[in-house]
Amino acid sequence: MTEPRWLDEREERAWRSLMVMQSGLFQYFERQLRAHSGLSAADYEVLAHLSEAPEGRMRSFALARVLRWEKGRLSQHLTRMQKRGLIRREPCPTDQRGAVVVITEPGRALIEKAAPLHVADIRKVLFDDATPAQLDLLTELGDQVKTRLAEIDQRTK
Amino acid sequence: MTEPRWLDEREERAWRSLMVMQSGLFQYFERQLRAHSGLSAADYEVLAHLSEAPEGRMRSFALARVLRWEKGRLSQHLTRMQKRGLIRREPCPTDQRGAVVVITEPGRALIEKAAPLHVADIRKVLFDDATPAQLDLLTELGDQVKTRLAEIDQRTK
């Protein structure tokens, strides 16, 4: 086996930064969401996608895809959110095995209250200091990563 | 209350990219680590920090700080890693309440086997396509976020 290509100094710094964002930033959002709205970041993501969908409804497989969650994880999470009255599940009229996930009125009220506070948090920690050039680079990086992950998904299918 | 400043299009794209990295990228690393080394990403982080520390030893509070984990989370995680023989805990000679966390020989063997594979995964999905400008951007962004989070921590103390 050849000697692995370890990260050089520049890559190492970039990697550490990504870890800070991964842990520090998202833990901060999680704490803030819980404190001001009683939602986890996962709850927030589910409600945000549903609230933007036509009539607040999405097929569960489509929801799993946009969230990039596995089916089992989504199903467990939806059960908990259903118990709290934030969403409900209905059978899909065109597919016996598929469910439709629907945001409830309390779910919609909660995300509408939480969203402005969440956006203010994102601005404060991330975007207030970011330049347009930084934002565009972040978008490029995300696109590159998405492309690579899609290629890998494809090859393992 | 004034109308919230929602994210504009450029910010929205950058935010979605960060979410892709947060979910897609780190889930990919998690799956790969489990497949090739039987480690979770959290196990890997703990072992990586310990293996780089002098004599493979760190005070548990120092480990919690570099990992940015809460004490309770670290303690639970270390208990599981100890049962698997990857680390051991020793009382701290200078502080009755503090513990010293030590990497075991099997723990070290495992991280040494996992590290080249993990780095190859990081290269493949992230760094092989990244330009130096993108790497520097990540570092800058991470530094900005770290500064903001530190300020917030300070204010809430």
Side-chain angles (χ1 to χ4, degrees), chain B residues 97-139:
Chain B
R97 290 163 311 168
V100 178
V101 188
V102 190
I103 192 169
T104 61
E105 277 314 304
R108 196 179 283 277
L110 201 53
I111 186 83
E112 284 176 0
K113 181 188 148 232
L117 302 168
H118 187 46
V119 169
D121 284 331
I122 295 173
R123 287 211 173 280
K124 185 166 65 181
V125 195
L126 186 64
F127 287 150
D128 279 354
D129 303 307
T131 63
Q134 288 176 333
L135 295 180
D136 291 346
L137 152 88
L138 270 185
T139 303

Side-chain angles (χ1 to χ4, degrees), chain A residues 18-148:
Chain A
L18 199 61
M19 297 294 281
V20 165
M21 294 203 269
Q22 151 78 4
S23 55
L25 190 63
F26 284 89
Q27 273 172 40
Y28 173 71
F29 292 144
E30 181 91 29
R31 278 201 310 274
Q32 290 289 103
L33 276 169
R34 282 192 192 279
H36 60 57
S37 310
L39 294 170
S40 69
D43 299 334
Y44 185 91
E45 281 305 296
V46 170
L47 293 178
H49 284 292
L50 288 176
S51 69
E52 286 164 17
E55 299 174 39
R57 309 166 68 85
M58 283 179 83
R59 295 283 300 275
S60 63
F61 81 89
L63 192 54
R65 200 175 45 204
V66 291
L67 292 166
R68 302 174 154 264
W69 291 5
E70 282 164 19
K71 244 171 57 180
R73 180 182 170 199
L74 178 63
S75 171
Q76 283 172 15
H77 199 86
L78 290 177
T79 300
R80 289 194 296 270
M81 290 181 74
Q82 191 162 17
K83 280 188 192 145
R84 291 158 62 203
L86 301 175
I87 58 121
R88 64 174 188 274
R89 281 187 275 198
E90 294 177 0
C92 177
T94 58
D95 176 2
Q96 277 195 41
R97 292 162 311 167
V100 177
V101 188
V102 190
I103 192 169
T104 60
E105 277 314 304
R108 196 179 283 277
L110 202 51
I111 186 83
E112 283 176 0
K113 181 187 148 233
L117 301 169
H118 186 46
V119 169
D121 284 332
I122 295 173
R123 287 211 174 280
K124 186 166 65 181
V125 194
L126 187 64
F127 286 150
D128 279 353
D129 303 307
T131 64
Q134 285 179 328
L135 295 179
D136 291 347
L137 275 172
L138 199 53
T139 302
E140 282 169 30
L141 257 186
D143 288 346
Q144 289 165 201
V145 167
K146 213 156 42 177
T147 304
R148 288 291 163 217

Side-chain angles (χ1 to χ4, degrees), chain B residues 14-76:
Chain B
W15 176 248
R16 295 265 155 233
S17 274
L18 199 60
M19 297 295 280
V20 165
M21 294 204 268
Q22 150 78 4
S23 55
L25 190 63
F26 283 89
Q27 273 172 39
Y28 172 71
F29 293 143
E30 182 90 28
R31 277 200 310 274
Q32 291 288 103
L33 277 169
R34 282 191 193 280
H36 59 57
S37 312
L39 293 170
S40 69
D43 298 334
Y44 185 90
E45 282 305 296
V46 169
L47 293 179
H49 284 292
L50 288 176
S51 69
E52 287 165 15
E55 300 175 38
R57 307 165 69 84
M58 283 179 84
R59 294 283 300 274
S60 63
F61 82 89
L63 191 54
R65 201 174 44 203
V66 291
L67 292 165
R68 302 175 153 263
W69 291 5
E70 281 164 21
K71 245 171 55 181
R73 179 182 170 198
L74 178 63
S75 172
Q76 283 173 16

